[in-house]
Structure formats: C-alpha cells, structure tokens
Amino acid sequence: MELFNYHYDFIKVKLYNVNSSLINWHSLKPHKNLTNHYLLVSDGQFFDKNFDLFIDGGKNITIRSSIPYLIYGHNFKAFDSLDLLKAMKSLSDILGIDLTEAKVIELEFGAYQKIENSSKDYINSLIGLKDYKLEKATPTMKMFGNTRGFHLKVYDPIVNAKRKKTFSLSQYPNGHLIKYEIKDLKPTHLKVEELCLPQTFVSLSKTLNTYLKQLLIKSEDQYLPIEASINHILFATLKNVEQELGIPIYTKTTSLLEKMELSPSQKSKRKKTLLELEATYNTKHLKR
C-alpha cells in the first residue's frame, strides 16, 4: 500500500552569533528547570510546549521542535515544504530573528501507511535493513541505523499518540497504521531555506521510499525438511534463508567447498549431494 501524509517532523536548527537585542523576549519565557533554555509564548498561535530555544555562551541559538506538533498539536498531517516555509516565517516574526537562515542540525521526515495486519505482527516481521544495524526494538517499534548518523524508524503511530496523549486530537482512522521515519543526525551544509524548497521535499520522499524497498521482511517458511535427518533440516533452513534474503545458498556452499582442502573426488561427491538436495527441494517447492 502507498504511503501518505508525507511530512517534515522534528527539526533541530542553529543560528550563529545572534544579536540578542533583536530577539523579541516577550515571546519567550525561561524554562523552569534548564538554564538558558526558553519556552515559546505565542498567545495561542502555536502549541507552545512543542518548542525549546537554547542560547549558549557564544550567542548561538539552537531551536528544537516538531513543526507539525507546534502547528497542530500532532503530526498525523501532510506537511510539505510550503507548510514549513509558512511556519518558519511566522515563528521568525514572533521571535524577531530569521530562522530560514538557520543551519539544520537534525532532521526527521516521515509518512504513514495503512496495513492489513496488526502493527505488532508487521514490526515483528522486520528482520533487517540493507547495510544498517538494528539499534532499538520493542513490540511496537524498530529502528535501524548506520555510522553516518542516518536512521530509519518504523513504529505504531497510534500507540505513540496515546503515549503522548495526542490520540484524540490526531483523529486517526479505523484500521491498522504504521509510520516510517527517516532521522538524519548529520545533515550536510543544509539550511532551513533549503528544506523549504519543493525539490528537497520530493527528494526526501523518494529517499524514504527507497529505504522501504530495502527492508528485509520475514515470511512464513516456504521449505520444510523432507526427511528428519540433520542434513535435511539444515538444508531446508538454508533454503528459507535464501527465500527471505535472496542469498544463493547452492552457489555460496559450492564456492565454500572449493576453498576446502579436500580431494577432487571428495569435492565432487559433496557437490553431487548438494545438487541433488537443491533439485529435490526446488522441485517440491514448485509443486506446492
């Protein structure tokens, strides 16, 4: 099923060497627990709790916010480059500083998908992502990542909305939903104004779909052992691995045999056995 409600989500941006006298301090209030952190006071324009501004000793400003949450109080919405531009301009007007010039430090981009089975069953079926490692896993979420700071998170958005107490506001439809979210912790030389370009939004949408195609999903075992011997049990298991991951089991096994210190007749005998197993299981699979 196709993805829908593509949207920018959480962003972390930084403005350098800001003249603090330009800031509209009436639109901010100090955080009660965190030093040099400020909350937004928008007089009803935004959901202010979804905003954090930090000023460091070098007069640099860092802002953290989920923009759809800031605008709507939830993120079950399509939210494209034009929506982001409008939001950042409104926020810039309130704060008195131009946020479109800010550098993007972190970025999340997501979309939703309707699924036929429960989210728990679907998430449990995810066994990997090409060239990525599994970083976190719960019954309702899995996250894969690489060393370059790029991550793909797959989770049940309804469970997440209930945890955040935004379920009623989000107005989720009946049925099963899943959310995919790419998280980039190391955007390269990217400014907010570039996120507000339609081509950037389209590029991120394509990237998300590319990663979905690379998800490895566990399927039901297609091969069962023909006999109860350990050879048949192991070979049937390997054929199921081949089915799921696309690894050519027979080719890899014969290649390994060639590297072993066996006589030509021993290699030939084992290859013959493997070929017979391969042919037998492939024929049985075709007849199903």
Side-chain angles (χ1 to χ4, degrees):
M1 295 184 181
E2 293 186 358
L3 301 185
F4 66 100
N5 279 0
Y6 289 90
H7 62 278
Y8 286 116
D9 200 340
F10 174 85
I11 61 171
K12 179 179 178 182
V13 302
K14 193 168 186 175
L15 272 173
Y16 295 90
N17 195 27
V18 177
N19 183 348
S20 58
S21 66
L22 298 177
I23 299 173
N24 179 13
W25 292 102
H26 295 294
S27 66
L28 296 168
K29 66 178 180 181
H31 194 286
K32 62 180 180 181
N33 297 320
L34 301 174
T35 304
N36 296 330
H37 282 259
Y38 297 86
L39 304 178
L40 186 65
V41 182
S42 69
D43 296 325
Q45 285 185 251
F46 298 115
F47 288 82
D48 294 347
K49 67 176 183 178
N50 298 293
F51 176 93
D52 174 76
L53 183 148
F54 170 68
I55 302 179
D56 63 31
K59 296 184 180 180
N60 305 311
I61 288 179
T62 301
I63 291 175
R64 302 168 70 255
S65 178
S66 168
I67 305 302
Y69 272 93
L70 187 66
I71 304 298
Y72 301 109
H74 65 90
N75 63 359
F76 188 56
K77 294 280 292 187
F79 197 87
D80 63 14
S81 52
L82 181 59
D83 295 318
L84 180 65
L85 179 61
K86 290 178 180 178
M88 298 308 286
K89 283 188 173 181
S90 295
L91 196 55
S92 296
D93 290 342
I94 290 173
L95 295 174
I97 50 178
D98 185 4
L99 295 180
T100 62
E101 288 294 315
K103 181 180 178 181
V104 182
I105 307 299
E106 291 182 25
L107 170 67
E108 290 181 0
F109 183 91
Y112 296 84
Q113 183 183 45
K114 293 180 180 179
I115 56 176
E116 294 181 358
N117 299 322
S118 74
S119 61
K120 285 187 177 181
D121 288 343
Y122 177 73
I123 290 168
N124 182 57
S125 74
L126 299 179
I127 57 177
L129 176 65
K130 186 179 178 181
D131 299 327
Y132 282 65
K133 292 183 178 179
L134 178 63
E135 294 181 323
K136 295 180 182 178
T138 72
T140 58
M141 180 275 290
K142 280 186 179 174
M143 186 166 77
F144 305 92
N146 64 18
T147 56
R148 300 186 299 276
F150 205 86
H151 308 264
L152 177 71
K153 186 177 178 182
V154 186
Y155 63 96
D156 184 329
I158 295 176
V159 170
N160 187 60
K162 288 180 178 178
R163 180 178 61 83
K164 291 183 176 180
K165 297 183 169 60
T166 62
F167 177 74
S168 297
L169 188 62
S170 305
Q171 295 184 329
Y172 284 102
N174 294 327
H176 303 295
L177 279 179
I178 206 77
K179 186 180 179 188
Y180 302 96
E181 197 171 86
I182 52 178
K183 184 180 181 74
D184 192 351
L185 297 178
K186 299 177 182 178
T188 306
H189 308 299
L190 188 65
K191 287 186 176 181
V192 169
E193 62 184 356
E194 294 170 80
L195 287 186
C196 298
L197 298 174
Q199 56 263 39
T200 305
F201 187 84
V202 170
S203 176
L204 286 167
S205 301
K206 290 180 178 178
T207 299
L208 182 58
N209 278 280
T210 298
Y211 278 93
L212 261 60
K213 293 176 183 177
Q214 295 174 348
L215 277 171
L216 302 175
I217 301 176
K218 177 173 60 181
S219 58
E220 291 185 12
D221 289 339
Q222 301 293 312
Y223 296 88
L224 296 175
I226 297 171
E227 298 178 12
S229 69
I230 191 66
N231 284 346
H232 278 272
I233 292 171
L234 290 174
F235 196 80
T237 301
L238 288 172
K239 291 298 288 182
N240 285 316
V241 170
E242 179 180 72
Q243 186 80 12
E244 286 186 4
L245 306 184
I247 298 171
I249 296 301
Y250 176 75
T251 303
K252 287 189 71 69
T253 310
T254 53
S255 176
L256 184 62
L257 265 174
E258 288 296 337
K259 298 175 183 177
M260 297 179 69
E261 295 182 1
L262 297 171
S263 67
S265 63
Q266 287 174 319
K267 289 181 180 180
S268 178
K269 183 178 179 180
R270 285 161 176 77
K271 285 181 182 179
K272 182 180 178 182
T273 301
L274 281 169
L275 185 57
E276 288 174 351
L277 285 168
E278 176 78 358
T280 299
Y281 277 86
N282 285 347
T283 301
K284 183 176 175 63
H285 184 64
L286 288 172
K287 289 180 178 179
R288 292 183 62 182

